[in-house]
Amino acid sequence: MEFSNLQRNRSLYCPRLPPCLQGSSVQVDYGVGDATTVTEPSDAQSVSRLFPLTYGQPLVHISCKSGRPAKDPPSLRIGVVFCGRQSPGGHNVICGIYDAIKYHNPKSTIIGFCGGTEGLFAQKTIEITEDLALMYRNQGGYDMLGRTKDQIRTTEQVNAALNTCRALKLDGLVIIGGVTSNTDAAQLAETFEEAKLQTRVVGVPVTLYGDLKNQFVEADVGFDTICKYYYFIRLMGKRASHVTLECALQSQPNMVILSEDVSSSKLTLFDITKRICDAVQARAEQDKHYGVILLPEGLIESVPELHAILQEINCLHKRGVSGDKILEHLSPWASALYEFLPPYIKKQLLLSPESDDSPQLSQIETEKLLAQLVETEMNERTKSGTYKGKKFNSICHFFGYQARGSLPSKFDCDYAYAMMTVKRLSHGPGVSLIGKPSIHPVPVDLKGKPYELLLRDAEKLLMDDLYRNPGPIQYEGSGADSKTTTLCVEDQDYMGRVKTIVKPGCSQEVLKAALCSMSSLIEILSLMSSPSSKNQTCL
């Protein structure tokens, strides 16, 4: 492999570890704090019934223990597989595992499965060596092992994965991927436990969408890198608009349309078109006949009427209706809507679904559809005399995959190196499927701080030209350590939440100091609110 100067420079970067993983010995405490649970309490019964052996396990606390361990750790055999689409930082997950297990016991082995889950099922393996790990440190793409159309969905596939882990005598299987892949990991963990297999399954959140997180996982590997590019118009984000929101906070376009906002407000295609047209007209009154609008690729699924027709088409696909026959089976209202749409959208709506049964959203030119509808409406306003500005012209872009294989940012290098509602899947011909709960992508919180920050400046962004170009990813200098605006804003109240949750990597000293400070604060507030203090004057 021939490296460019930049790739060669990046390969020399040494990722930083959090305090809990530094030192010669890492202490793992089980049963510390609350047990694992689900986001929605109403799902607890269903999930616990389907995951009786793995649901409700206690959280694990990792800390640094001084000195060498009492006895040498055993040698381990760990398997790793890339699932899902590429995301910057994926290689560093493997490099981090390699360095860790070799440090604790040089006899440990890490085995990579070539070609994603197909390689896992067929036992196509390669041993990760020092030279191989060195070649891919801090590099983009998934070239070390490759990937395929990944899924671990059917009973046959789950059994194939189980047989592979048993045959190779793996102590652990690390699945690197996004929401779907980690859902598969959860199912495998339960199945392996039921089969009393020694292999422990670990899912690592590596997805650029930023939608696989909770109070213990603040960000996904790849999200930091992906949001340090300058994007405009249609961006990545199928079920959640995190990338669009982050890019808006960094680049400050005139207008942002988020799927979550459209879904919450139940905005129709007409409503969205009117909003854009009103913005175009308002800017034209200030002699500004230009602008920038951002939207996620998943927006089309959030528009009620378009979501409904996509659902109808998807159901027909599941029933085995061929693409050229689908129009004959649409309901009258869906057929009428279909005829209203431009030819290119008609063709794209009929594309076969993805492997997870979702529409091929990346192939549906939502930005082009909106631009055409806005142009039509602005022409109508011109004819009626309500709009007196220049003729509306648009340029459409979709940046969906340019950054997937990018060299990861310093944040994603470090983060990857250190890591680690219920639905049933439909039946397909010739296979038996496992009904299982699904890990849901986390949507943009419309009451969260990042969205509030966007709303606060929405009027200024619309009418003023405050465009900002963050520039390319920096690897040296002050900009190299910058974090996404979303993460910085969400983390402002970190110390305020220490009492209710323990963040991974938080040292015992910091936790003790925080709890002591809070205890003193509570004592002071209690004293000030007591009846005796109300009649006293503080000088």
Side-chain angles (χ1 to χ4, degrees):
M1 178 184 294
E2 292 188 9
F3 278 176
S4 67
N5 289 336
L6 178 58
Q7 287 176 308
R8 192 175 297 110
N9 181 273
R10 292 307 299 149
S11 68
L12 300 176
Y13 175 71
C14 295
R16 295 173 295 181
L17 286 171
C20 65
L21 295 180
Q22 294 177 5
S24 58
S25 180
V26 175
Q27 179 172 317
V28 180
D29 296 320
Y30 297 90
V32 177
D34 298 330
T36 55
T37 184
V38 292
T39 303
E40 295 294 334
S42 59
D43 290 337
Q45 185 176 359
S46 298
V47 175
S48 62
R49 185 177 67 252
L50 292 169
F51 290 83
L53 302 177
T54 54
Y55 174 74
Q57 295 293 319
L59 296 174
V60 175
H61 187 270
I62 302 174
S63 59
C64 181
K65 183 179 181 182
S66 59
R68 298 292 300 181
K71 58 180 180 179
D72 292 334
S75 62
L76 299 174
R77 288 174 59 82
I78 306 296
V80 293
V81 58
F82 284 130
C83 294
R85 295 176 178 176
Q86 296 91 333
S87 187
H91 283 144
N92 269 38
V93 175
I94 297 178
C95 293
I97 296 171
Y98 177 86
D99 288 350
I101 66 172
K102 288 294 186 180
Y103 175 80
H104 291 288
N105 191 321
K107 295 181 180 179
S108 293
T109 304
I110 179 170
I111 298 170
F113 291 100
C114 302
T117 54
E118 289 186 6
L120 173 65
F121 304 147
Q123 301 184 31
K124 296 178 181 178
T125 66
I126 182 174
E127 181 177 346
I128 307 299
T129 62
E130 175 67 30
D131 290 340
L132 188 61
L134 182 63
M135 188 181 301
Y136 290 98
R137 286 181 187 275
N138 310 317
Q139 302 302 311
Y142 278 0
D143 296 354
M144 180 192 283
L145 299 176
R147 58 165 292 273
T148 54
K149 197 180 244 184
D150 301 283
Q151 60 181 25
I152 310 176
R153 178 177 299 181
T154 67
T155 302
E156 290 78 5
Q157 290 169 338
V158 170
N159 288 335
L162 187 150
N163 291 334
T164 293
C165 293
R166 177 179 286 138
L168 297 179
K169 299 180 180 179
L170 297 182
D171 297 291
L173 174 66
V174 178
I175 294 178
I176 301 170
V179 169
T180 301
S181 301
N182 278 270
T183 297
D184 293 340
Q187 179 65 59
L188 280 184
E190 180 71 20
T191 304
F192 285 11
E193 186 70 17
E194 183 179 5
K196 301 188 184 303
L197 191 66
Q198 68 175 9
T199 309
R200 295 292 178 260
V201 181
V202 177
V204 182
V206 181
T207 169
L208 49 81
Y209 294 129
D211 58 359
L212 181 53
K213 59 182 182 178
N214 53 41
Q215 70 264 42
F216 298 111
V217 181
E218 298 104 322
D220 304 330
V221 172
F223 182 69
D224 184 86
T225 301
I226 218 73
C227 291
K228 287 182 175 175
Y229 277 71
Y230 178 59
Y231 291 106
F232 59 98
I233 309 302
R234 185 161 55 112
L235 312 177
M236 288 165 288
K238 292 186 176 180
R239 299 176 181 85
S241 309
H242 294 284
V243 174
T244 302
L245 175 58
E246 176 63 29
C247 289
L249 291 172
Q250 290 200 34
S251 61
Q252 302 182 168
N254 299 114
M255 193 173 183
V256 183
I257 305 172
L258 302 182
S259 298
E260 291 82 353
D261 187 19
V262 170
S263 179
S264 174
S265 303
K266 295 180 172 56
L267 299 179
T268 64
L269 200 56
F270 172 80
D271 295 329
I272 298 172
T273 302
K274 184 177 184 302
R275 278 192 179 187
I276 299 175
C277 289
D278 290 345
V280 170
Q281 186 160 339
R283 286 181 58 80
E285 291 171 0
Q286 293 191 7
D287 202 30
K288 295 181 178 180
H289 301 279
Y290 55 88
V292 179
I293 302 171
L294 300 188
L295 57 131
E297 64 179 341
L299 176 65
I300 194 168
E301 273 201 312
S302 298
V303 180
E305 63 270 34
L306 294 175
H307 173 74
I309 193 173
L310 282 170
Q311 290 292 99
E312 273 201 34
I313 292 173
N314 189 43
C315 289
L316 292 172
H317 275 302
K318 290 179 180 179
R319 285 165 46 189
V321 179
S322 60
D324 58 339
K325 300 291 184 180
I326 283 181
L327 300 183
E328 303 172 10
H329 295 79
L330 288 178
S331 63
W333 76 266
S335 180
L337 174 60
Y338 183 86
E339 292 304 321
F340 162 77
L341 297 171
Y344 59 90
I345 292 292
K346 291 180 181 178
K347 183 178 179 181
Q348 293 159 5
L349 290 178
L350 297 180
L351 292 173
S352 299
E354 302 272 16
S355 59
D356 62 354
D357 291 333
S358 64
Q360 293 195 45
L361 298 180
S362 62
Q363 302 300 319
I364 302 176
E365 298 174 293
T366 313
E367 77 285 4
K368 189 175 177 181
L369 172 63
L370 287 178
Q372 184 172 332
L373 293 176
V374 169
E375 181 177 3
T376 301
E377 173 61 19
M378 296 312 297
N379 289 339
E380 290 296 322
R381 294 188 183 191
T382 299
K383 291 179 182 179
S384 64
T386 56
Y387 173 67
K388 297 180 171 58
K390 295 181 180 180
K391 177 175 172 57
F392 176 82
N393 291 300
S394 63
I395 299 176
C396 298
H397 294 274
F398 171 48
F399 292 103
Y401 300 94
Q402 285 80 351
R404 282 191 180 275
S406 168
L407 288 172
S409 65
K410 285 181 65 175
F411 178 92
D412 279 329
C413 283
D414 298 343
Y415 192 42
Y417 185 80
M419 287 202 77
M420 42 146 293
T421 306
V422 178
K423 72 176 182 181
R424 282 188 176 272
L425 300 171
S426 59
H427 286 274
V431 295
S432 62
L433 297 174
I434 295 177
K436 60 182 179 182
S438 239
I439 296 176
H440 288 278
V442 178
V444 169
D445 184 0
L446 299 183
K447 296 182 180 179
K449 292 180 180 179
Y451 186 69
E452 288 179 355
L453 180 60
L454 183 67
L455 285 184
R456 186 193 69 188
D457 298 327
E459 187 63 28
K460 290 191 297 182
L461 294 176
L462 176 61
M463 301 309 300
D464 301 334
D465 294 340
L466 302 176
Y467 308 128
R468 178 176 177 269
N469 184 354
I473 297 176
Q474 301 298 306
Y475 299 110
E476 296 180 1
S478 58
D481 293 316
S482 65
K483 298 181 178 64
T484 59
T485 305
T486 302
L487 185 59
C488 293
V489 171
E490 288 177 340
D491 206 36
Q492 283 182 347
D493 195 34
Y494 171 79
M495 293 309 293
R497 291 181 285 130
V498 171
K499 190 173 182 180
T500 56
I501 63 172
V502 178
K503 289 242 177 177
C506 177
S507 67
Q508 293 290 342
E509 291 76 12
V510 171
L511 179 59
K512 183 177 180 181
L515 292 177
C516 288
S517 299
M518 291 179 184
S519 178
S520 300
L521 178 60
I522 293 173
E523 185 176 347
I524 293 171
L525 292 175
S526 299
L527 180 62
M528 292 178 66
S529 62
S530 65
S532 60
S533 66
K534 293 181 179 179
N535 298 323
Q536 297 177 5
T537 302
C538 296
L539 299 178

